[in-house]
Amino acid sequence: AKKFAKHLYKRLGGANRCVIKSLRDVSVRGVAKHKRVYFVCSTFGMGRPPSVGELFYSLLQLEAMRCKENFEDLSEFGSDESKPLQGTSVAIAALGSSQFKHFAKFGHGLEVELKALGATMAQDVTTLDAAKGKSEQKQAFRVWEETVVTMEKERLMGWVTPRQAKRSSLVSAKALLAAKSLAS
């Protein structure tokens, strides 16, 4: 996932247009600061995130539960903000192997929790199956990546000047990539 995220980071313009972080350094509040977030994530064990993403995913689930059950005391945002990711659009590339029962489960679970927090999906979750071989997985990623790059180009062209552009993010199992995108 880290290798794929780094490739997308370069395609989106690198440090001039993007921020890349480890999931270990990502929070729900941090995701909420971006208009567009791209996740590239692996699934481990029984459908769990990689170890660097466990804390983020647990806090994401807790915040989603708080939104569903209206437990204001559990929120890192306070009771006045029921859907902290409203206005944030996400796309997920979920890596895994269809040889395992919980193929790409973390990516699909991430989608559920992010949507519960008000995020919208820029596109359906794309699964990248290692069981089909590295070249097939890489090709599936390239198709997803091209869609992401096209979306970002469309968002930036003619809509806002570079000064008005805000950052958006991509999170991988090991990295978060934020690309400057449109202000709404």
Side-chain angles (χ1 to χ4, degrees), residues 59-78:
L59 293 173
L60 184 71
Q61 290 175 311
L62 183 63
E63 187 65 23
M65 181 181 75
R66 197 255 343 137
C67 282
K68 290 176 194 168
E69 303 297 330
N70 199 23
F71 293 136
E72 286 103 15
D73 58 330
L74 297 178
S75 177
E76 70 173 285
F77 294 93

Side-chain angles (χ1 to χ4, degrees), residues 41-87:
C41 55
S42 301
T43 297
F44 287 85
M46 303 297 287
R48 298 299 304 166
S51 60
V52 298
E54 281 286 354
L55 180 61
F56 168 73
Y57 191 55
S58 295
L59 293 173
L60 184 71
Q61 290 175 311
L62 183 63
E63 187 65 23
M65 181 181 75
R66 197 255 343 137
C67 282
K68 290 176 194 168
E69 303 297 330
N70 199 23
F71 293 136
E72 286 103 15
D73 58 330
L74 297 178
S75 177
E76 70 173 285
F77 294 93
S79 61
D80 60 331
E81 197 167 341
S82 62
K83 297 282 185 176
L85 297 183
Q86 202 143 16

Side-chain angles (χ1 to χ4, degrees), residues 9 27 34-35 48 56 58 62-63 65 70 73 76 85-86 97 99 102 117 123 127 133 142 153 165 174 179 183:
Y9 173 76
S27 66
H34 300 285
K35 292 290 180 186
R48 298 299 304 166
F56 168 73
S58 295
L62 183 63
E63 187 65 23
M65 181 181 75
N70 199 23
D73 58 330
E76 70 173 285
L85 297 183
Q86 202 143 16
S97 174
Q99 293 176 333
H102 301 289
L117 293 174
Q123 62 177 336
T127 56
R142 296 285 189 251
K153 284 180 181 177
K174 305 262 182 195

Side-chain angles (χ1 to χ4, degrees), residues 35-36 151-152 154-161 164-168 179-184:
K35 292 290 180 186
R36 182 79 58 121
M151 286 189 303
E152 284 301 319
E154 289 172 357
R155 287 167 50 85
L156 291 172
M157 290 177 54
W159 287 89
V160 295
T161 66
Q164 295 171 315
K166 286 189 176 181
R167 288 188 172 189
S168 68
K180 290 181 182 173
S181 65
L182 295 176
S184 51

Side-chain angles (χ1 to χ4, degrees), residues 127-142:
T127 56
L128 307 175
D129 191 358
K132 293 181 179 179
K134 284 186 179 183
S135 78
E136 288 276 337
Q137 188 181 43
K138 187 175 181 179
Q139 180 58 33
F141 175 77
R142 296 285 189 251

Side-chain angles (χ1 to χ4, degrees), residues 4 12 18 33 51 65 84 90 101 107 112 142 156 176 181:
F4 287 138
L12 291 175
C18 306
K33 291 179 182 179
S51 60
M65 181 181 75
V90 299
K101 181 179 178 181
V112 169
R142 296 285 189 251
L156 291 172
L176 164 72
S181 65

Side-chain angles (χ1 to χ4, degrees), residues 14-32:
N16 292 328
R17 297 202 180 273
C18 306
V19 174
I20 191 165
K21 294 182 182 180
S22 169
L23 259 182
R24 154 182 336 141
D25 302 323
V26 177
S27 66
V28 176
R29 185 178 296 280
V31 171

